[in-house]
Amino acid sequence: MEKSVAVLPFTNLSGDPDQEYFSNGMMEEILDRLFKIGDLKVISRTSSMHYKNSDKPIKEIARELGVASIVEGSVRRAGNNVRIAVQLIDAGNDVHLWSEIYSGDLTELSSIFVIQSEVAQSVARELKAVISPEERRIIEKAPTKDLGAFEDFLKGRFYLYKFTANDSEIAIKYFESAILKDPEYAPAYANIGLSWGVLAQMGYKSMDEVGPKVQESMMKACLLYTSDAADEEDSVDLGGRRII
């Protein structure tokens, strides 16, 4: 249980309810990177989101989720300036194991992905979790270089997780917009497939109708993920430089 963690919903300190998608998105992106570390037990987003705005003590939340540690955070955004505060808490004795405050500029999107990667690796380090070279490569990879595509992706997931027919269709539109801006954005394709699947699973659409759309989107995502991995394997490291 020592290497187990839950990431609680980040608090939106922007003073703008319309930025909720962004604070949720930062939490989800960090959570996604933690999921990629096989040596960690990480609680799902669905379970963690039950504690959004909860006033329960950390120890009680950790006991209910069956984890030894909790990640809390907050996001403040003003225009393209972002401030992210994150802390890792040992739930057994309510002691802070690690905390950090990051500042970034969304016009330099790579810095936001670096922050997300650093948080995940810092949490793993404090919990003595081993990260393989392949896991580190995946965690550190920037999924897109296009800010507009990233914003659309976060908005898409915000609506997807509302799990209604109308919101799922709004989510698909955002994911499609992200792909128009970055046709190589694999997670956007995967989430289009997921959105169609949600519509069928909840009875809003028939599987006969959405099945081909799910398959097409997931296949495209898999091809992009596979191509990325192959490109990385084909590169050669010379003196600290990656040569393709």
Side-chain angles (χ1 to χ4, degrees):
M1 187 169 163
E2 298 79 13
K3 298 180 183 180
S4 56
V5 62
V7 183
L8 298 187
F10 283 12
T11 303
N12 173 22
L13 298 180
S14 302
D16 179 2
D18 289 341
Q19 289 300 317
E20 197 71 21
Y21 81 92
F22 191 82
S23 58
N24 281 1
M26 291 302 99
M27 170 261 195
E28 290 157 3
E29 290 288 298
I30 290 168
L31 182 63
D32 182 62
R33 283 162 173 76
L34 288 171
F35 274 133
K36 292 176 170 62
I37 302 172
D39 200 30
L40 277 178
K41 173 191 172 185
V42 184
I43 299 301
S44 72
R45 175 197 183 278
T46 303
S47 297
S48 295
M49 287 301 288
H50 286 303
Y51 297 94
K52 188 174 180 65
N53 300 321
S54 174
D55 58 0
K56 284 187 177 182
I58 288 295
K59 184 177 291 189
E60 184 176 347
I61 293 174
R63 179 180 56 78
E64 291 176 358
L65 291 174
V67 295
S69 52
I70 295 286
V71 172
E72 288 186 317
S74 64
V75 179
R76 187 186 302 275
R77 179 179 179 182
N80 284 324
N81 295 314
V82 179
R83 181 180 181 275
I84 303 171
V86 190
Q87 56 187 7
L88 175 67
I89 303 169
D90 182 333
N93 50 27
D94 204 17
V95 169
H96 285 67
L97 299 174
W98 168 84
S99 65
E100 190 62 75
I101 297 175
Y102 301 92
S103 296
D105 186 338
L106 282 173
T107 58
E108 297 178 3
L109 185 56
S110 60
S111 67
I112 301 300
F113 295 134
V114 168
I115 290 171
Q116 295 164 359
S117 171
E118 287 184 356
V119 170
Q121 294 189 60
S122 295
V123 169
R125 182 177 62 250
E126 292 298 328
L127 298 182
K128 307 296 190 293
V130 176
I131 304 177
S132 72
E134 175 61 12
E135 289 170 344
R136 191 178 305 279
R137 182 191 75 81
I138 295 172
I139 290 169
E140 292 179 348
K141 178 174 173 55
T144 182
K145 296 179 181 179
D146 190 289
L147 175 58
F150 180 61
E151 292 265 21
D152 284 342
F153 178 75
L154 295 187
K155 290 175 182 176
R157 286 207 302 196
F158 179 75
Y159 281 98
L160 171 60
Y161 288 132
K162 292 177 180 289
F163 296 116
T164 71
N166 185 58
D167 288 319
S168 295
E169 291 178 354
I170 292 173
I172 290 170
K173 286 181 169 54
Y174 273 118
F175 294 136
E176 288 175 341
S177 176
I179 288 168
L180 284 174
K181 293 165 183 167
D182 180 0
E184 305 295 303
Y185 201 170
Y189 286 101
N191 276 268
I192 286 176
L194 181 59
S195 300
W196 284 117
V198 166
L199 284 168
Q201 196 170 35
M202 300 188 74
Y204 299 124
K205 299 281 186 180
S206 71
M207 185 52 74
D208 288 342
E209 180 183 356
V210 307
K213 297 176 180 178
V214 172
Q215 185 175 21
E216 180 184 3
S217 299
M218 291 303 188
M219 283 294 295
K220 180 62 176 178
C222 287
L223 286 172
L224 287 170
Y225 283 127
T226 303
S227 174
D228 170 62
D231 289 344
E232 192 72 19
E233 288 176 3
D234 288 342
S235 64
V236 179
D237 193 345
L238 295 177
R241 295 174 299 161
R242 301 298 289 183
I243 307 298
I244 306 298

